[in-house]
Amino acid sequence: MLNVRPIRVESLGEKLAGELRRRIIVGDVPAGTRLVEEELAESFRVSRGPVRDAIRILRAEGLVTGTGRNVVTLSLSVADIDELMALRESFELLALERAMDTNRDDLTSRLAAALVEMDAAADARDATAFTTADIRFHSSFFEAAGLTRLDVLWNQFRPTIEGLLHASGKRMDDLAPSAREHHDLSALIAAGKVADVKNELHRHLRKTRARLQAAVSPPPSQRKSDL
């Protein structure tokens, strides 16, 4: 008997939501834009059913109106980010351990593909493309692990994580060093050094958490005086 692992096929509505989510997060969709079924269906050359599903998904995520930043991001506190990143780290570690143990060749192949995109984005000094490659890199953990139920849970807060990453951005001078960090992590994964992978991932996500917290915390000039 074939040992076939169940897979989850993404619906057309989910694919459309993913593309619209990307456009909203990076600011391609202007603030306050109302998503109209007929216009979107014509633009994407699909029926209105999948478009309706996509709009429903985006409404549930708070992304229906574009502000150049994830709308959810604006309501998150520093403590919320801390909690969210703790969840992310525990999920990623679980997926990574499983993938390294059962499917390391596939995992390293996926990581290598993401690193090619990351290096190209760093060379081009394209922060948006770099973040997209960064997301692909970390998503590879779940794809290679084949943890269907965990993937469903991860996808519940993944849009918020991605929105935060795009909203916070990276300074151009940070792209190359961050790419090197991902290369180092990938090398440890390929070598099967589980303890070192855990330490490096924790260090990497701690830096990401600090950047995200800075993104939702107003600069001192915008804070009310305590006097």
Side-chain angles (χ1 to χ4, degrees):
M1 177 183 291
L2 291 175
N3 182 17
V4 179
R5 189 167 54 208
I7 60 173
R8 181 178 176 277
V9 179
E10 191 176 38
S11 70
L12 181 54
E14 289 171 321
K15 290 181 179 179
L16 291 176
E19 174 59 22
L20 289 168
R21 184 188 298 119
R22 183 191 67 78
R23 295 185 187 186
I24 290 169
I25 289 170
V26 302
D28 289 343
V29 175
T33 296
R34 179 172 174 268
L35 299 182
V36 180
E37 289 182 14
E38 295 87 344
E39 294 177 0
L40 289 174
E42 182 177 350
S43 175
F44 286 107
R45 297 183 181 178
V46 296
S47 65
R48 291 175 58 181
V51 170
R52 194 175 300 116
D53 292 339
I55 293 175
R56 188 181 302 116
I57 291 169
L58 295 175
R59 279 177 180 159
E61 295 172 0
L63 288 169
V64 167
T65 56
T67 62
R69 295 181 61 182
N70 185 333
V71 175
V72 178
T73 301
L74 302 177
S75 64
L76 292 176
S77 67
V78 169
D80 292 332
I81 300 297
D82 196 50
E83 207 170 294
L84 198 58
M85 289 301 292
L87 276 172
R88 176 184 175 182
E89 182 172 348
S90 63
F91 275 33
E92 289 197 6
L93 280 174
L94 182 59
L96 251 183
E97 288 184 30
R98 171 67 177 270
M100 289 175 66
D101 184 50
T102 64
N103 206 12
R104 197 192 310 170
D105 288 344
D106 180 56
L107 173 61
T108 54
S109 176
R110 292 176 184 274
L111 295 179
L115 287 172
V116 169
E117 295 180 4
M118 195 175 292
D119 289 340
D123 290 341
R125 298 175 67 80
D126 185 337
T128 299
F130 188 95
T131 298
T132 300
D134 189 351
I135 291 168
R136 179 179 177 184
F137 182 95
H138 289 270
S139 296
S140 297
F141 305 165
F142 298 92
E143 293 163 0
L147 296 170
T148 307
R149 291 184 179 86
L150 180 64
D151 198 40
V152 170
L153 290 173
W154 162 247
N155 282 328
Q156 295 302 306
F157 63 89
R158 174 178 172 178
T160 303
I161 289 283
E162 294 184 5
L164 284 166
L165 289 170
H166 279 290
S168 63
K170 277 183 180 286
R171 294 184 306 170
M172 294 302 176
D173 292 342
D174 292 338
L175 299 186
S178 182
R180 286 195 294 271
E181 285 184 12
H182 285 83
H183 275 281
D184 291 343
L185 178 58
S186 182
L188 292 173
I189 291 170
K193 298 181 178 180
V194 178
D196 290 337
V197 166
K198 288 182 178 181
N199 291 333
E200 181 64 19
L201 182 65
H202 176 72
R203 188 184 68 81
H204 172 71
L205 292 181
R206 186 174 57 192
K207 291 175 65 176
T208 303
R209 178 175 58 194
R211 181 162 58 88
L212 298 183
Q213 288 175 331
V216 301
S217 180
S221 61
Q222 295 180 12
R223 293 174 188 159
K224 293 182 180 179
S225 173
D226 293 331
L227 297 178

